[in-house]
Amino acid sequence: MDGCGMAEILRGLPKNDPHKERILAGYKKMMAALLKFQEPDGMWRQIIDDPESWKETSEPPCSRMP
């Protein structure tokens, strides 16, 4: 699952959902791991862990979310 999907799930879960804390912990862990790949200017690479790939400018992250 990607970060956008997890964010959408977390947004829709009731506060008292028994799985919410586990999903939130996974989301935070994934976001922290991804942060080291973000460029100093805030951009992301087309291939996230390849510093030689071009910067992704065709659409903002999660732009295809409903």
Side-chain angles (χ1 to χ4, degrees):
M1 178 177 296
D2 66 13
C4 295
M6 287 181 83
E8 195 64 23
I9 287 171
L10 285 164
R11 185 169 33 185
L13 284 176
K15 290 183 180 187
N16 61 349
D17 185 285
H19 304 289
K20 188 168 188 166
E21 287 304 314
R22 184 171 56 88
I23 296 169
L24 182 58
Y27 176 78
K28 287 179 178 181
K29 183 177 179 181
M30 180 171 45
M31 293 299 109
L34 287 173
L35 194 56
K36 68 182 177 184
F37 296 108
Q38 190 173 26
E39 295 294 311
D41 63 2
M43 299 292 291
W44 298 94
R45 297 279 172 181
Q46 181 70 23
I47 302 172
I48 198 167
D49 62 348
D50 180 358
E52 299 300 316
S53 68
W54 64 90
K55 290 184 179 180
E56 177 54 69
T57 59
S58 61
E59 64 180 77
C62 301
S63 65
R64 290 176 285 191
M65 288 181 64

